Amino acid sequence: MNAPLPRSVTSGCPVDHAALRAPNGCPVSARAAAFDPFEDAYLQDPPEYLRWAREQEPVFYNPTLGYWVVSRYDDIKAIFRDHGSFSPSNALEKITPPSEAAQQVLASYGYAMSRTLVNEDEPAHMARRRLLLEPFTPEALRHHEPLVRKLAREYVDRFIDDGRADLVDQMLWEVPLTIALHFLGVDEEDMPLLRKYSIAHTVNTWGRPDEHEQLRVADAVGNFWQLAGNILEKMRRDPSGTGWMKFGIRMQAEHPDVVTDSYLHSMMMAGIVAAHETTANATANAVRLLLQHPTAWRELCEDPSLIPNAVEECLRFSGSIIAWRRVALRDVDVAGVTLPAGSRVLMVMASGNHDGRHFAEADLLDIHRDNAGDHLSFGYGAHQCMGKNLARMELQIFLEELSRRLPHMTLAPQTFHYLSNTSFRGPEHLLVEWDPALNPERRDPAVLGRSQPVRIGESSRAAVARTLRVEGVRTVAEDIVELRLAPADGRALPRWTPGAHIDLLCGGEGLSRQYSLCGDPADAGALQVAVLRDPASRGGSAWIHANARPGDLLTVRGPRNHFRFEEEGARRVILVAGGIGITPIAAMARRARELGMDYELHYSGRSRATMAYVQELAALHGDRLHLHVRDEGTRADYRALLAEPRPDTRVYACGPARLLDELAACCAAWPDDALRVEHFQAAPGKLDPSRELAFEVECKDSGLVVSVPADRTLLEALRAANIDVPSDCGEGLCGSCEVHVLSGEVDHRDVVLTRAERQAGDKMMACCSRACAGGRLVLEI
Ligand code: HEM
Ligand code: FES
């Protein structure tokens, strides 16, 4: 293997590692040889258990298991993405080969678990997945919401007055199982037996049962298999009505070669496990994690709008499927290590989810995390979990019910136990306690009636908000007020960089507006924005001017930065601001000064009275500041300033469209990326279906072709097809819905991409941009 062996580990170890070789001939390091996923430490804290691997040996061979173990985010995602080089055919293979006797027991039941979806190769897999996808789309899942809420409430009702509960035994095991069975279309009367047998499947597939246990498990799995067959037969007699398995039976009538008998029987069994244990474990992990982080728990209790993103962060931090398998179809390179064809691969997603190369401060639980939804806990690509949105719905509702009715719940002292296996992780019990006298519903029965909208098929980060206190309001120019916003709860403010903005919620109507941060990023005490009263305002700036007073609490999202100030690569910087566009530019100028860059700051306005921060800027920047004041006759001459293209210079500008258009014209002969701009308003208008054309996109990673009708955006069409895409502004301003384009011509309608980026044609904003007339796009998603 290419990765060097850590000295401390190789020296003094009694095992001759040079003698232990991986199938590619490389010696196996001591730690690689010692990796044991059946050891308690692995399940107690998988990312910690593999920290050394992420840091020193990201891909290693473990001779005991006969698997290559992959631990970094990018490598795992690349394997999920590459179905040409990696097959999922071993995903449901028994990781511990069954004993002769256990095989006989299974055979006596006619056990013939075979390909379902998760372990099927292309092209058979995708043909089947496409036919069976519809019941999983966010739209189709909506009708499950009332049942999930009803069950969650009823189960909490049963123990709310007790003051203590084992949440796994008393709620989190049964409720997801009942929902899974409903989702599949199983009758109530068949549920009790299925409940009894389903757990055996996990041990059978991913565990290391001893001789004796193997027989017991084989017996239960055999029973489970027969029962699944009987239930399927019953469904076949009347396949009408709701339920994914019934839907599958109906699809079989039309496409018997795609939806086969063997598939249906195997899926009847595997589907229960896929939908049940995963979600039960994920909820138990999430509740435990949040109670171990009381600040995060308190925040959720106070502001349930944080729940959707908290769910993603909990799945990242402590997911319920921690590892998944593939087989290499050819010799293939992973992080510089050549895995020979036939290599079996264990991707430890729990480790990838804690990879600091992808997640900043990865070991910190941060329910506000911007990219929490990038986690690998649902897999990625063609096989990505089809049930992810049902799981999200359940997790969101369970957390909402528990945080609203039992905000005072705490973890009881206990040791957490896990079922020994490579892949499924959740505590066997979760003991919590509280004082029933303090139950909020005893004081205020209205608590029971409240509920929070479930967010599936949309960006969870759009819902992430924090409450800040208005610390100061100051008029900084005619019609411009500056707000200083400080933490309301003692929690540290998020860090930000010049060019970043926050979204401010204006009033109770859900109206949000974006404002650039204009203070000093080093000021940990407050965020600072300056807001111009827009005469055409329908509630944004007018609301702030009329209502924001010191002491008020405001809801804020972000900061996010789509107008980054690059600190490297340019020696000279020209900063141009028009009117209120000074806000991001002022922060950039401060940074340029700190870095000792060669910069000039041009600031134009109607009159001095309308221009914010003139004195502060003059004091800080001296003669680097050039004021262009129309009523003083000192108008800017950008044509002259930018006449000579200079490869060592970058121009950053923010202001009205007129100014930015002028700068674009002046910079026409400059290097493509020299001019970076931020617009005040969205350029694109509302989608006008009468003037749009429908188009198709091929989604390479997901293996789907999605039609985008004239009356839908690409973003909407992707989400309706169960493909996650983050988003924020929804109008081409912020850059968060960027998708990679592999081929096809894009009709760009955003204001985020630079001219050079548009010409390169390898990315687009899904919320507004479309395919050029009659075109088809291929996306890497
Ligand atoms: C596949 C995780 C809930 C149905 C998968 C895969 C993972 C996963 C890791 C394999 C992905 C890959 O190979 O790229 C989870 C987790 C869940 C969850 C962590 C809960 C938190 C559900 C639910 C259902 C479901 C509730 C059904 C209602 C499926 C199906 C597949 C799958 C059908 C196979 C998809 C394919 O191969 O095309 N899931 N899952 N899952 N999951 Fe889930
Ligand atoms: Fe902001 Fe698309 S969501 S650009």
Side-chain angles (χ1 to χ4, degrees):
M1 296 187 51
N2 298 355
L5 301 180
R7 259 186 184 289
S8 58
V9 173
T10 48
S11 60
C13 176
V15 179
D16 176 6
H17 300 290
L20 271 184
R21 290 193 175 273
N24 63 355
C26 290
V28 172
S29 74
R31 282 184 132 157
F35 171 77
D36 179 4
F38 303 108
E39 192 174 32
D40 194 42
Y42 170 74
L43 282 168
Q44 287 296 340
D45 191 347
E48 189 53 40
Y49 190 77
L50 276 171
R51 183 184 298 281
W52 68 273
R54 283 195 300 286
E55 284 163 12
Q56 297 162 5
E57 208 181 332
V59 180
F60 65 84
Y61 184 74
N62 176 256
T64 322
L65 221 51
Y67 273 77
W68 293 86
V69 179
V70 183
S71 59
R72 282 189 187 162
Y73 183 91
D74 282 348
D75 298 332
I76 296 173
K77 194 161 178 178
I79 295 174
F80 271 130
R81 177 178 267 151
D82 186 359
H83 45 79
S85 308
F86 294 95
S87 158
S89 57
N90 63 341
L92 301 182
E93 214 170 70
K94 291 182 212 14
I95 205 151
T96 304
S99 66
E100 193 74 22
Q103 285 186 48
Q104 278 171 15
V105 173
L106 285 169
S108 72
Y109 285 97
Y111 177 73
M113 183 69 163
S114 177
R115 302 285 183 117
T116 54
L117 278 162
V118 82
N119 57 352
E120 182 62 281
D121 283 305
E122 302 306 345
H125 161 259
M126 205 29 95
R128 197 176 285 156
R129 178 167 164 129
R130 270 189 217 117
L131 281 183
L132 300 172
L133 189 64
E134 203 265 335
F136 287 101
T137 56
E139 216 172 305
L141 287 175
R142 290 277 166 207
H143 80 266
H144 293 283
E145 193 177 328
L147 176 70
V148 181
R149 279 194 193 284
K150 177 172 161 293
L151 289 173
R153 285 188 183 183
E154 281 174 9
Y155 275 70
V156 176
D157 283 345
R158 293 181 193 176
F159 56 69
I160 183 113
D161 291 321
D162 296 352
R164 64 191 328 269
D166 177 346
L167 287 183
V168 173
D169 275 2
Q170 292 176 255
M171 176 178 180
L172 300 180
W173 191 253
E174 277 194 28
V175 178
L177 179 54
T178 309
I179 294 163
L181 296 174
H182 273 281
F183 176 79
L184 297 173
V186 174
D187 283 346
E188 298 271 347
E189 64 185 32
D190 295 321
M191 291 185 183
L193 266 181
L194 278 174
R195 285 200 179 108
K196 186 172 153 199
Y197 294 129
S198 71
I199 189 162
H201 180 58
T202 306
V203 182
N204 186 43
T205 311
W206 293 281
R208 193 167 58 181
D210 60 25
E211 275 288 306
H212 177 71
E213 208 186 350
Q214 283 216 15
L215 293 180
R216 197 183 54 78
V217 166
D219 198 50
V221 169
N223 270 303
F224 190 7
W225 176 254
Q226 285 200 339
L227 188 62
N230 294 341
I231 292 173
L232 195 64
E233 276 319 304
K234 193 165 145 192
M235 284 184 180
R236 281 188 195 282
R237 290 195 286 277
D238 177 16
S240 63
T242 56
W244 188 48
M245 290 311 296
K246 291 182 176 173
F247 181 82
I249 293 170
R250 296 201 292 273
M251 283 292 146
Q252 187 182 39
E254 290 169 38
H255 305 272
D257 49 333
V258 179
V259 183
T260 58
D261 282 344
S262 150
Y263 158 77
L264 282 173
H265 194 160
S266 300
M267 196 60 185
M268 186 66 227
M269 187 164 151
I272 296 173
V273 181
H276 168 220
E277 276 178 55
T278 50
T279 316
N281 284 338
T283 320
N285 289 339
V287 174
R288 172 191 171 185
L289 191 62
L290 290 165
L291 293 183
Q292 283 173 328
H293 292 80
T295 314
W297 176 251
R298 203 177 51 240
E299 267 193 88
L300 282 194
C301 295
E302 284 166 8
D303 179 2
S305 75
L306 295 171
I307 290 174
N309 207 60
V311 163
E312 300 303 319
E313 176 66 350
C314 289
L315 285 168
R316 179 192 77 82
F317 200 97
S318 186
S320 53
I321 295 209
I322 56 172
W324 209 242
R325 290 180 282 169
R326 291 288 189 264
V327 189
L329 293 170
R330 54 178 182 82
D331 288 2
V332 55
D333 209 75
V334 181
V337 179
T338 305
L339 313 193
S343 293
R344 296 184 295 172
V345 180
L346 185 73
M347 302 168 283
V348 187
M349 291 100 85
S351 168
N353 286 342
H354 281 249
D355 187 343
R357 291 160 200 82
H358 190 86
F359 298 102
E361 300 191 69
D363 295 327
L364 217 90
L365 180 81
D366 177 3
I367 59 173
H368 297 271
R369 188 181 290 277
D370 240 12
N371 64 348
D374 286 358
H375 64 76
L376 297 167
S377 299
F378 289 130
Y380 179 77
H383 287 270
Q384 196 191 36
C385 178
M386 287 166 88
K388 64 188 174 185
N389 281 325
L390 180 58
R392 284 174 170 142
M393 176 190 286
E394 292 184 47
L395 275 150
Q396 289 178 23
I397 292 177
F398 298 158
L399 284 187
E400 189 201 322
E401 284 299 313
L402 290 168
S403 59
R404 198 180 63 242
R405 299 181 67 184
L406 289 168
H408 49 318
M409 150 173 100
T410 53
L411 281 178
Q414 66 203 291
T415 308
F416 293 100
H417 296 283
Y418 298 92
L419 187 74
S420 174
N421 79 106
T422 55
S423 298
F424 282 56
R425 178 177 180 271
E428 289 182 345
H429 300 280
L430 181 60
L431 306 176
V432 291
E433 52 195 19
W434 64 94
D435 179 355
L438 301 178
N439 290 355
E441 60 207 57
R442 291 199 184 178
R443 276 194 323 275
D444 176 13
V447 167
L448 281 171
R450 290 188 199 128
S451 72
Q452 171 76 17
V454 163
R455 286 183 182 267
I456 51 172
E458 60 182 289
S459 179
S460 67
R461 76 180 184 204
V464 175
R466 68 175 75 220
T467 306
L468 298 182
R469 185 184 306 284
V470 180
E471 195 186 65
V473 182
R474 172 169 85 108
T475 300
V476 287
E478 215 170 81
D479 277 338
I480 301 179
V481 290
E482 174 197 275
L483 305 184
R484 272 182 65 79
L485 305 168
D489 50 9
R491 227 161 40 94
L493 283 172
R495 279 165 299 169
W496 61 279
T497 48
H501 68 266
I502 53 170
D503 286 14
L504 253 174
L505 243 69
C506 307
E509 310 289 301
L511 185 73
S512 99
R513 287 287 173 266
Q514 303 189 327
Y515 296 104
S516 296
L517 292 169
C518 61
D520 180 356
D523 176 0
L527 298 177
Q528 194 174 306
V529 292
V531 180
L532 168 72
R533 189 206 315 266
D534 175 359
S537 168
R538 287 168 291 110
S541 63
W543 184 89
I544 290 173
H545 275 254
N547 295 287
R549 298 286 174 263
D552 286 355
L553 297 181
L554 289 183
T555 305
V556 168
R557 295 192 185 115
R560 264 185 290 283
N561 197 341
H562 303 294
F563 183 40
R564 282 184 191 282
F565 181 65
E566 280 177 38
E567 302 187 350
E568 282 155 24
R571 281 196 295 118
R572 214 171 136 251
V573 178
I574 299 177
L575 301 162
V576 180
I580 193 65
I582 190 62
T583 48
I585 296 295
M588 289 182 178
R590 180 190 292 273
R591 186 69 187 141
R593 180 175 175 274
E594 274 168 14
L595 292 171
M597 288 173 132
D598 179 9
Y599 70 98
E600 49 192 273
L601 169 57
H602 293 263
Y603 181 13
S604 48
R606 203 161 20 96
S607 66
R608 262 175 212 261
T610 61
M611 295 167 72
Y613 302 123
V614 171
Q615 279 175 8
E616 285 100 318
L617 292 169
L620 201 60
H621 302 293
D623 57 9
R624 290 187 184 272
L625 172 68
H626 304 269
L627 289 179
H628 308 292
V629 187
R630 195 182 342 146
D631 70 1
E632 294 175 12
T634 52
R635 295 183 70 159
D637 184 355
Y638 292 118
R639 206 155 281 284
L641 180 71
L642 302 169
E644 274 303 306
R646 291 191 48 173
D648 66 343
T649 302
R650 231 171 248 149
V651 184
Y652 290 86
C654 181
R658 196 171 9 90
L659 171 70
L660 302 183
D661 290 347
E662 183 189 346
L663 292 172
C666 298
C667 289
W670 282 59
D672 277 338
D673 272 352
L675 175 65
R676 316 275 170 104
V677 300
E678 176 151 87
H679 293 252
F680 286 169
Q681 297 132 346
K686 275 244 162 294
L687 194 71
D688 176 357
S690 67
R691 299 171 58 183
E692 301 294 353
L693 291 176
F695 62 101
E696 267 188 355
V697 287
E698 184 184 334
C699 303
K700 206 77 190 157
D701 291 350
S702 317
L704 288 179
V705 174
V706 175
S707 301
V708 186
D711 62 351
R712 268 195 168 181
T713 64
L714 170 60
L715 182 68
E716 289 166 342
L718 291 173
R719 285 190 179 151
N722 237 14
I723 299 175
D724 295 341
V725 186
S727 73
D728 191 353
C729 68
E731 47 186 340
L733 275 174
C734 73
S736 52
C737 63
E738 179 179 303
V739 290
H740 284 264
V741 181
L742 296 170
S743 67
E745 254 190 277
V746 182
D747 174 4
H748 291 286
R749 305 189 182 175
D750 64 283
V751 291
V752 179
L753 296 179
T754 62
R755 192 157 34 100
E757 285 170 330
R758 284 173 183 225
Q759 274 163 7
D762 59 357
K763 43 188 157 182
M764 70 186 289
M765 298 304 144
C767 69
C768 58
S769 299
R770 304 178 73 82
C772 284
R776 187 175 199 267
L777 301 174
V778 182
L779 305 179
E780 190 183 40
I781 191 165

